[in-house]
């Protein structure tokens, strides 16, 4: 074991945090402040300069891009005979907020993220966990470079936690996802068919999703089912689920 | 000069193409077939397997992601005190179809791209050049890896051809861009205020953009100016300008 690694793990004043990260990531991190930043939600960020907060949002921007690039390459090589439409759709399922939220929860991010618990008061945890995952990717990239990050993501995250072939076959069902979420959080949900506007085709259906009295999304399609689907998708996005 | 490089440049049967690429890229390419693929538009692609064409579209998917990641890092480091909203917006200006089309034209891609000239008949060259630029980034990445591609993009493309600080201050004016394009291609253009649907706020304005009798975009906003802007932006996207 190199001496710097030994120092970090056993002697440094941050050795406890280093060990937590090593267990999570599978490697000994270099620049600890990057990782601390990745886990700092904007609700607890401080101003470091006029109008600039030290939250994980900038790292999230960077990590989102690096993750997108790594996943693009994985899919490009995994599916040599599929076209770019297929690749784009599958990638968006893999990096969807929902999927990244689940992944981050499985990895135990909820114990690491610093945030103001008040923001969870209304049950809208939103994309807190998934955002932190992207920020972490940004931190690993700045700390260790692209090839290391790619190796980490492919071997430690994608192979271990993401079932690409199942996602490939899943059509995201926003309606049932939304209903499930409302049941879990004790919210009333209704799908309402609203009357068409004058001048609109009688074949068009407009459906509004109403959660605890608040309209969270609406969809206009030529079938009720598709209108519901669209409305539910918008409501899911509004709730960050 | 290593012998393989000498062979490629002076002896190989592809030496002419290698020299063209070297002049364009500033380095001697490895796997030539990747670069040929990057310059092959789908209009001249052949089926290589049932339903699979050997066009540049898959490489474009990959290159788009790699380019996005490199530009994200450049901006992240160039603007340490700007938030992710600023970074996202500036990146989308840099990698906009319009900007990449211009860049590829400047680099002389029009002489390298293989495409069916019929697709240019109606003046809609669209994103042919910009798409090929992204595909080229994908080719360089597969041929040489991330760090090489990043170095190539930063030093050979971004520093030489992209004025980030000017883009930062440019607010894209889609309306004037669209009018200019129509004048250049001899098309009629009108912006039409359409009547509001019943039940909509009287304060809402809906504007349709009509190019040679075809509605290419519409926008609904609380001011005529913003509705026009939105409609023009959609029409620009539809025309690939």
């Amino acid at each position: 074991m190199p001496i710097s690694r030994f120092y970090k793990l056993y002697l440094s004043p941050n050795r406890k945090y280093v060990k937590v990260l090593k267990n999570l990531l599978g490697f000994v991190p270099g620049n600890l402040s990057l990782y601390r930043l990745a886990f700092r939600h904007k609700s607890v960020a401080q101003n470091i300069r006029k109008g600039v907060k030290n939250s994980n949002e900038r790292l999230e921007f960077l990590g989102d891009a690096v993750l997108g690039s790594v996943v693009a390459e994985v899919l490009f090589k995994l599916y040599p005979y599929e076209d770019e439409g297929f690749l784009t759709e599958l990638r968006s399922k893999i990096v969807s907020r929902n999927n990244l939220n689940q992944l981050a929860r499985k990895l135990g991010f909820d114990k690491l993220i610093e945030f103001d618990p008040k923001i969870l008061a209304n049950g809208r945890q939103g994309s807190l966990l998934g955002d932190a995952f992207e920020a972490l990717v940004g931190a690993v990239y700045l700390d260790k470079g692209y090839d290391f990050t790619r190796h980490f993501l492919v071997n430690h995250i994608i192979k271990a936690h993401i079932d690409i072939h199942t996602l490939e076959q899943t059509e995201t069902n926003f309606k049932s996802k939304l209903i499930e979420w409302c049941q879990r959080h004790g919210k009333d949900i209704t799908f309402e068919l609203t009357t068409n506007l004058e001048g609109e085709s009688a074949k068009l259906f407009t459906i509004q999703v109403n959660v605890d009295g608040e309209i969270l999304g609406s969809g206009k399609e030529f079938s009720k089912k598709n209108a519901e689907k669209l409305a539910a998708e918008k409501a899911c996005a509004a709730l960050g689920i």
Side-chain angles (χ1 to χ4, degrees), chain A:
Chain A
M1 183 183 291
I3 195 150
S4 68
R5 198 177 134 103
F6 183 84
Y7 171 79
K8 273 189 192 148
L9 276 168
Y10 300 107
L11 304 173
S12 104
N14 297 312
R15 58 188 181 273
K16 220 173 138 183
Y17 192 57
V18 171
K19 267 185 205 147
V20 168
L21 287 177
K22 183 175 176 287
N23 286 336
L24 172 69
L25 304 170
F27 62 85
V28 178
N31 183 348
L32 282 191
S33 60
L34 285 170
Y35 298 85
R36 286 195 205 278
L37 185 58
F39 289 113
R40 189 177 304 130
H41 184 258
K42 63 174 177 236
S43 56
V44 292
Q46 286 131 16
N47 279 315
I48 49 170
R49 201 174 142 148
K50 205 183 152 219
V52 187
K53 287 193 165 189
N54 62 350
S55 81
N56 63 5
E57 289 189 317
R58 278 169 47 86
L59 277 178
E60 184 197 333
F61 163 77
L62 180 62
D64 168 80
V66 172
L67 178 66
S69 176
V70 170
V71 174
E73 185 190 356
V74 168
L75 298 182
F76 184 91
K77 290 179 172 170
L78 195 60
Y79 296 96
Y81 296 114
E82 298 288 354
D83 68 16
E84 74 295 345
F86 173 93
L87 301 174
T88 303
E89 194 185 331
L90 186 48
R91 181 175 58 172
S92 72
K93 285 182 192 171
I94 295 174
V95 301
S96 73
R97 268 295 155 275
N98 184 37
N99 203 40
L100 295 186
N101 280 343
Q102 279 180 18
L103 174 67
R105 193 170 294 116
K106 221 158 52 169
L107 293 169
F109 275 34
D110 41 338
K111 290 167 206 83
L112 282 163
I113 297 179
E114 295 174 66
F115 62 93
D116 182 343
K118 272 182 249 153
I119 65 157
L120 295 187
N122 63 356
R124 290 198 193 174
Q125 187 165 349
S127 52
L128 185 80
L129 290 164
D131 293 348
F133 179 77
E134 287 185 337
L136 175 76
V137 174
V140 177
Y141 175 69
L142 290 177
D143 191 29
K144 303 279 187 175
Y146 190 86
D147 292 337
F148 188 99
T149 308
R150 181 175 64 161
H151 188 266
F152 163 70
L153 285 173
V154 170
N155 293 293
H156 205 79
I157 303 292
I158 298 176
K159 283 190 187 157
H161 297 288
I162 299 181
D163 185 346
I164 294 180
H165 295 289
T166 302
L167 278 176
E168 184 196 330
Q169 270 131 41
T170 320
E171 221 212 306
T172 316
N173 186 336
F174 290 105
K175 190 180 168 188
S176 58
K177 198 204 287 184
L178 184 63
I179 292 173
E180 212 179 280
W181 183 91
C182 288
Q183 286 171 339
R184 214 169 43 239
H185 292 89
K187 308 259 183 200
D188 272 340
I189 176 167
T190 52
F191 286 80
E192 284 160 27
L193 182 66
T194 65
T195 46
N196 278 6
L197 302 173
E198 207 174 279
E200 277 184 345
S201 163
K203 289 180 195 149
L204 266 179
F205 296 94
T206 306
I207 301 274
Q208 280 180 347
V209 177
N210 200 308
V211 174
D212 267 5
E214 194 183 346
I215 295 167
L216 288 184
S218 81
K220 201 190 283 288
E221 290 283 347
F222 286 97
S223 80
K224 277 188 206 169
K225 204 181 150 202
N226 284 339
E228 275 186 357
K229 214 163 133 181
L230 186 62
E233 184 174 353
K234 287 183 189 170
C236 282
L239 291 165
I241 55 175

